[in-house]
Amino acid sequence: HKLYPNPFVESTTFRYVLKNPSKVRIELHTLKGQLSAVLADATQPVGTYEIPIEASALGLSQSVYLMRVYIDGYRFSERLVRVR
C-alpha cells in the first residue's frame, strides 16, 4: 500500500493491491476519532486499486487525519497531512 503525496495540498491517492478477493473498508478520521468519510466499503476482486482523496470534495481542512484500512482480518492505519 502507498499514499502519495503525503503531506498534500488538495489531493492525494491511496494505492493498494489485493492478492485475493477481499472485504475492504477504508475510513478517514480526524485525530479526535470523528469519522470524516468512508472511501471504500465493498468486497473487491484481485487487482490493484487507487482511491483519489480530494480535500475539497470531502470537506477536509488543513489538519492531520487518520486513514483506517480494513482488509478481511487485517487492519492498519496511515496518517494523512493536509497543508495549504
Side-chain angles (χ1 to χ4, degrees):
H1 59 87
K2 184 176 182 178
L3 183 65
Y4 60 92
N6 190 23
F8 69 101
V9 175
E10 184 53 38
S11 65
T12 187
T13 301
F14 179 61
R15 183 176 190 266
Y16 59 100
V17 176
L18 297 178
K19 295 181 181 180
N20 298 300
S22 302
K23 170 72 175 138
V24 176
R25 182 171 173 92
I26 302 172
E27 302 172 345
L28 196 58
H29 293 262
T30 65
L31 287 182
K32 292 182 180 180
Q34 180 181 1
L35 180 65
S36 295
V38 176
L39 305 174
D41 190 15
T43 299
Q44 298 178 339
V46 172
T48 300
Y49 296 86
E50 288 190 353
I51 298 180
I53 301 168
E54 302 289 336
S56 59
L58 296 174
L60 304 180
S61 60
Q62 181 178 346
S63 188
V64 177
Y65 295 88
L66 186 64
M67 184 171 60
R68 294 184 181 158
V69 180
Y70 306 89
I71 299 176
D72 286 337
Y74 180 65
R75 174 185 162 179
F76 65 92
S77 298
E78 186 92 27
R79 283 179 27 144
L80 289 86
V81 180
R82 178 166 189 218
V83 296
R84 292 199 187 254

